[in-house]
Amino acid sequence: MGWLRGRWSRHDDAWWAFLMACTAVIVAFVLMPSSVRYVLPVVLSAATSPAIVAGVRMHGPPSAGAWYVLAAGTVPYAAADAVWGAYQVRGEEVPFPGPVDGLYLVAYLLFATGLLMLTRWPAGRAHWAGLLDAGIVTLGFATLSWVFILGPYTRSRLPPASLAVTVAYPVTDLVLLCLAARLVLTAGSRGPSFLLLVGWLVTTLGADALYYGTVATTGSAIAEGVSEVGWMVSYACLGAAALHPSVARMAHAQESGGLALSHPRLAVMLALSLLGPAIVVCNVRGIRGDPSHIAVLVGMMAALAVLLVLRVSLLARYAQARAAEARGRARALEESLREQSVLQQRLSHQAFHDPLTGLANRLLLGEGLEHVVRRHPAPPSAGLLLLLDLDGFKYVHDTLGHPTGDELLVAAAHRLLGGVRGGDLVARLGGDEFAVLVEELNEDNVSEYVERILGQFRDPFVIGDHRSINVTASVGARLIREPTGATDTLRDADVALYVAKAEGKNRMVLFEPHMRDNSQDHAGMAEALRNALSRDELLVYYQPVVDLATGEIAAVEALLRWARPHGGLVPPDEFIPVAEETGVIVPIGAWVMRQACLQARRWREALPSHREIAVLVNISGRQLRDPGFADTVAGVLRESGLDAGSLVLEISEGTLGGGGEAAAAQLATVRGRGVRISLGGFGSGAALTCLRDVPIDIFKIDPGVVLSTDTARDDLLVRAIVDVGRGLGLDIVAEGVDTLEQADRLRALGCPQAQGFRFGRPMPGRVMEWHLLTRANGLPRPNA
């Protein structure tokens, strides 16, 4: 029992405790034979009001005001029960009409008001649909009420006051029925509290109908105890509805009103609309013998017909609106499908085409190539794959900027399209690399076909601000004569393209099988070069730079050499391009710089007279593009202990071509720390641009200029270069001086320093140290 009391003490179980208590009272009422039992309904009706108030206080429903009005309605109801019960206990007849009737009618008025406040009123057509449905239900039951209750009352010979009070009861029941129907028909989800509230209405109206119907038809109440039990059950349902926790959500469940008619609702409405005609046809209670009653029924049926017509009209308009909405949704869906189709086409195009040029991309080229390599036309025709690379594009991109580079790529794509046939596939593979796939072409016409494409690049490109840019193309070609793999075909064309660029660019090279072997040799060299540093296969040689006036060594240039275990020395022009291409030049270049600085520091300690000798280290464009290059230089100087002014970093015009502004910024950083910069190959190209854009301390005259100093015109050129250097405050070194005559002429033209075989070939560090030592001690100088 303690556990049970604990459960009932919880708010969530209060409704259950109230129902059990009410059930006990109802059972006592049924079993108690004496008239004293009529005190029990008073107990239930009196307990309902505080139960409702307690439920509202515990759960706080949004429609609290409506529940308080319902609670107020139970007060006169309980008072009327108390007066009526007192008469029953005393065995006296209850006065009619009297105070009891007034209290009951006031209670019904408050109940109607509470239901009206509790009912939500949807906006628009849903509001009228709910009203029409409630009206149809009310009129349908009104026909029954007229036949069995109201009609008999009007035919009785009651005094006007008694008749008015008598009729007021069923009329108020019809009002409650209308509000109840409105509440039920417009409800959304139905929780326990809502169902208990409906139970209160059903038992109240049912008990009233039983009581007033038997009184009207027989003159006295039949089964009065049954009606009393019904009223007591209604008290229990109303109080429990307020106490149940779902009362807090019930108002939200009544905010939807439906325009559509469900099958059960339609069946109920049809049945109610046929009640009147059925009563007339069956002549229930001799209704056809009284014209006045027939007139009332006909009026009710007419009103019911009008409501049905209005409801059907509203339903038709609702159906039209839904149909219009459906058509709108269909149009929206059709438009959405069309947009989706367009989007799919766009995405498909984007998936297979380059976004910049609009050409096919690598994926579409791969699909086309798969088709061509499987088809292989019969000789003398063959398929053809061309890979094109724009010569000098990287320099244009780095010096003129990304937008200009993009414009150049678009213009190159248009020219490519102008040089191919209508059915040929032109693709951009990335960067400045393009491809042309020809499904079938006579082998004799391949050269002519490629020449027509190369001809598209002979005229300068006019880009942006009408700037004229000269860009040529290198082409690697691969004939497709027999079934092969698409990947192998693409690789072979790429090998041919590599050969075309290596042979001088602006040309076409047709793939031959031996090129694949060369490519494999190239790949093998790249792999061996990656391990050369860890295997101690790399060497640093040094070549002197002399002062032409005194013959003294002013600096030495560090030169990289590679001694393969079984192949001897590898020429620098063979392995250095491979190192730059693979990126291995970055760690190797840092190693060369470290070895050269350490060697220079040893020479300065061993030969105090040569403390001013600088060491020149060549720097590649790949090193300058490394973000950590400036930090690498600082680390080498710190590790070696060499003064920054004794280190000279030598670059070339080609070195800057791949670095642009970033390379110049790197050089400016290291120069700001005291390291000097030397520009090699001056006089061979557009080196004047480098003098303008890059901080330079030294420049070297290109060997090609030095070798051509045999005429007065050549002498004027050398003198002009020397004057430019002096005017800019730069040190000048002539490269490639191999003979005494060249040295004497350069000295006469004012060139201060020179480098070449005349003064010494590249030599190992120890040989160079001996070379310096012999000069310091005045020994005979070795003749190179």
Side-chain angles (χ1 to χ4, degrees):
M1 290 300 294
W3 171 84
L4 191 58
R5 285 195 298 269
R7 274 186 57 89
W8 288 352
S9 65
R10 293 164 48 191
H11 291 174
D12 290 352
D13 294 326
W15 69 279
W16 183 246
F18 183 78
L19 275 182
M20 291 185 67
C22 291
T23 302
V25 174
I26 294 171
V27 171
F29 175 82
V30 172
L31 297 179
M32 190 176 294
S34 70
S35 59
V36 180
R37 67 177 184 167
Y38 286 101
V39 177
L40 297 178
V42 180
V43 174
L44 283 188
S45 58
T48 303
S49 180
I52 295 174
V53 173
V56 173
R57 297 290 297 273
M58 285 190 296
H59 304 300
S63 302
W67 286 99
Y68 282 130
V69 172
L70 293 177
T74 62
V75 174
Y77 209 104
D81 282 349
V83 175
W84 185 82
Y87 278 103
Q88 296 296 322
V89 171
R90 292 200 302 267
E92 299 177 5
E93 185 176 354
V94 181
F96 179 80
V100 172
D101 300 297
L103 291 172
Y104 278 134
L105 291 176
V106 170
Y108 277 106
L109 179 61
L110 290 173
F111 289 156
T113 303
L115 285 176
L116 191 63
M117 295 172 62
L118 196 62
T119 304
R120 293 288 175 172
W121 299 89
R125 293 193 184 102
H127 164 66
W128 293 107
L131 286 178
L132 290 173
D133 291 347
I136 292 170
V137 171
T138 304
L139 280 176
F141 280 101
T143 58
L144 292 175
S145 179
W146 179 261
V147 173
F148 294 102
I149 301 175
L150 292 174
Y153 280 152
T154 58
R155 289 197 297 267
S156 66
R157 299 184 182 276
L158 291 173
S162 298
L163 180 61
V165 173
T166 302
V167 171
Y169 282 108
V171 170
T172 55
D173 279 346
L174 288 175
V175 172
L176 288 179
L177 175 64
C178 181
L179 294 174
R182 178 74 177 87
L183 179 65
V184 172
L185 294 175
T186 59
S189 59
R190 293 165 169 82
S193 180
F194 176 81
L195 296 178
L196 287 169
L197 183 66
V198 172
W200 164 64
L201 290 167
V202 169
T203 53
T204 297
L205 295 176
D208 285 354
L210 178 63
Y211 182 82
Y212 299 123
T214 56
V215 169
T217 55
T218 66
S220 62
I222 299 175
E224 182 178 348
V226 175
S227 296
E228 193 64 48
V229 170
W231 288 320
M232 295 176 72
V233 171
S234 71
Y235 306 149
C237 290
L238 182 57
L243 288 170
H244 197 280
S246 62
V247 71
R249 302 184 299 274
M250 193 180 71
H252 297 289
Q254 299 171 40
E255 294 179 354
S256 62
L259 282 165
L261 285 174
S262 63
H263 292 296
R265 184 182 299 191
L266 182 60
V268 170
M269 289 184 179
L270 288 176
L272 292 174
S273 65
L274 294 175
L275 276 176
I279 290 172
V280 174
V281 171
C282 297
N283 194 23
V284 176
R285 296 185 60 82
I287 193 71
R288 285 186 294 189
D290 192 336
S292 62
H293 289 277
I294 289 292
V296 172
L297 282 179
V298 169
M300 289 183 180
M301 288 187 288
L304 188 57
V306 170
L307 294 183
L308 285 171
V309 170
L310 291 175
R311 186 63 175 90
V312 171
S313 174
L314 194 62
L315 182 61
R317 276 192 270 176
Y318 169 70
Q320 291 174 354
R322 292 296 299 271
E325 291 177 5
R327 288 193 295 270
R329 287 195 295 269
R331 287 193 297 269
L333 179 59
E334 182 180 354
E335 179 66 19
S336 176
L337 291 175
R338 188 187 66 80
E339 292 177 356
Q340 184 178 2
S341 177
V342 172
L343 179 61
Q344 286 178 343
Q345 293 176 2
R346 188 180 305 162
L347 291 176
S348 177
H349 184 273
Q350 291 176 354
F352 289 98
H353 291 80
D354 174 55
L356 176 64
T357 62
L359 299 178
N361 60 11
R362 185 180 293 272
L363 186 60
L364 186 55
L365 175 70
E367 290 188 358
L369 188 57
E370 287 283 357
H371 170 72
V372 173
V373 297
R374 288 196 303 265
R375 184 176 178 275
H376 66 281
S381 295
L384 177 65
L385 174 64
L386 303 178
L387 293 186
L388 297 90
D389 193 86
L390 301 183
D391 304 325
F393 171 78
K394 191 167 186 60
Y395 179 76
V396 173
H397 184 275
D398 292 339
T399 55
L400 301 182
H402 184 78
T404 302
D406 285 349
E407 288 187 56
L408 178 58
L409 289 174
V410 173
H414 289 163
R415 290 200 182 182
L416 267 178
L417 292 172
V420 302
R421 304 178 310 181
D424 299 339
L425 178 65
V426 180
R428 180 186 174 216
L429 304 185
D432 60 330
E433 188 175 4
F434 297 85
V436 176
L437 180 62
V438 182
E439 186 169 339
E440 186 173 352
L441 182 70
N442 192 299
E443 291 191 33
D444 296 335
N445 299 329
V446 170
S447 297
E448 179 185 350
Y449 181 83
V450 176
E451 183 60 31
R452 186 167 70 247
I453 292 176
L454 290 175
Q456 299 292 319
F457 295 89
R458 291 203 173 95
D459 295 331
F461 289 86
V462 179
I463 303 297
D465 54 354
H466 306 292
R467 179 178 299 176
S468 180
I469 299 176
N470 289 294
V471 172
T472 58
S474 298
V475 180
R478 170 64 157 88
L479 286 172
I480 306 171
R481 301 186 180 94
E482 66 282 331
T484 183
T487 302
D488 293 340
T489 303
L490 193 62
R491 181 201 60 204
D492 292 345
D494 192 57
V495 169
L497 174 61
Y498 181 85
V499 174
K501 295 183 76 68
E503 290 184 355
K505 306 179 181 179
N506 191 25
R507 67 189 64 213
M508 183 273 285
V509 170
L510 186 62
F511 173 79
E512 298 293 342
H514 68 83
M515 295 178 183
R516 189 179 297 138
D517 298 333
N518 295 339
S519 175
Q520 293 173 352
D521 293 341
H522 179 276
M525 177 178 288
E527 183 63 27
L529 195 56
R530 289 187 180 93
N531 300 318
L533 192 58
S534 60
R535 294 173 179 172
D536 293 329
E537 296 175 6
L538 300 180
L539 306 171
V540 180
Y541 277 37
Y542 301 90
Q543 187 177 29
V545 177
V546 302
D547 188 304
L548 289 175
T550 64
E552 296 297 327
I553 296 177
V556 294
E557 180 177 0
L559 301 170
L560 177 63
R561 295 294 183 264
W562 182 19
R564 300 192 70 170
H566 306 291
L569 287 176
V570 181
D573 57 354
E574 290 186 12
F575 75 86
I576 288 181
V578 176
E580 292 184 354
E581 180 183 339
T582 58
V584 180
I585 193 65
V586 174
I588 290 179
W591 177 83
V592 171
M593 189 188 306
R594 183 177 296 104
Q595 296 301 314
C597 289
L598 291 172
Q599 183 67 72
R601 177 62 184 270
R602 286 194 294 268
W603 289 338
R604 297 183 68 170
E605 292 175 351
L607 305 169
S609 59
H610 288 77
R611 295 185 63 85
E612 300 302 323
I613 292 179
V615 60
L616 285 76
V617 179
N618 290 280
I619 302 299
S620 73
R622 194 66 176 264
Q623 288 176 271
L624 288 179
R625 291 195 295 273
D626 178 20
F629 174 74
D631 293 335
T632 299
V633 175
V636 167
L637 291 174
R638 188 166 52 250
E639 178 185 348
S640 64
L642 188 69
D643 295 337
S646 298
L647 174 62
V648 179
L649 301 182
E650 183 167 330
I651 62 173
S652 66
E653 176 191 350
T655 302
L656 294 176
E661 297 180 359
Q666 292 268 36
L667 293 173
T669 299
V670 297
R671 189 171 184 266
R673 295 172 179 172
V675 177
R676 290 184 291 168
I677 308 300
S678 172
L679 174 64
F682 189 84
S684 62
L688 288 175
T689 302
C690 297
L691 290 180
R692 180 194 64 190
D693 298 336
V694 181
I696 300 296
D697 299 287
I698 305 167
F699 72 75
K700 291 184 174 182
I701 303 175
D702 188 81
V705 178
V706 173
L707 292 175
S708 60
T709 56
D710 293 334
T711 64
R713 186 180 182 88
D714 294 329
D715 289 350
L716 287 174
L717 177 61
V718 173
R719 191 181 297 276
I721 293 174
V722 172
D723 290 342
V724 169
R726 286 177 174 171
L728 294 175
L730 304 178
D731 292 335
I732 307 163
V733 178
E735 289 187 287
V737 180
D738 296 336
T739 65
L740 178 62
E741 291 75 11
Q742 291 173 342
D744 292 340
R745 181 164 296 191
L746 287 169
R747 187 185 303 109
L749 293 174
C751 183
Q753 295 180 355
Q755 176 182 0
F757 289 173
R758 165 63 191 165
F759 310 107
R761 295 177 178 273
M763 60 193 77
R766 292 192 178 187
V767 177
M768 188 70 215
E769 184 175 341
W770 175 83
H771 199 74
L772 293 172
L773 182 62
T774 57
R775 287 175 176 268
N777 295 331
L779 298 176
R781 299 170 185 173
N783 189 353

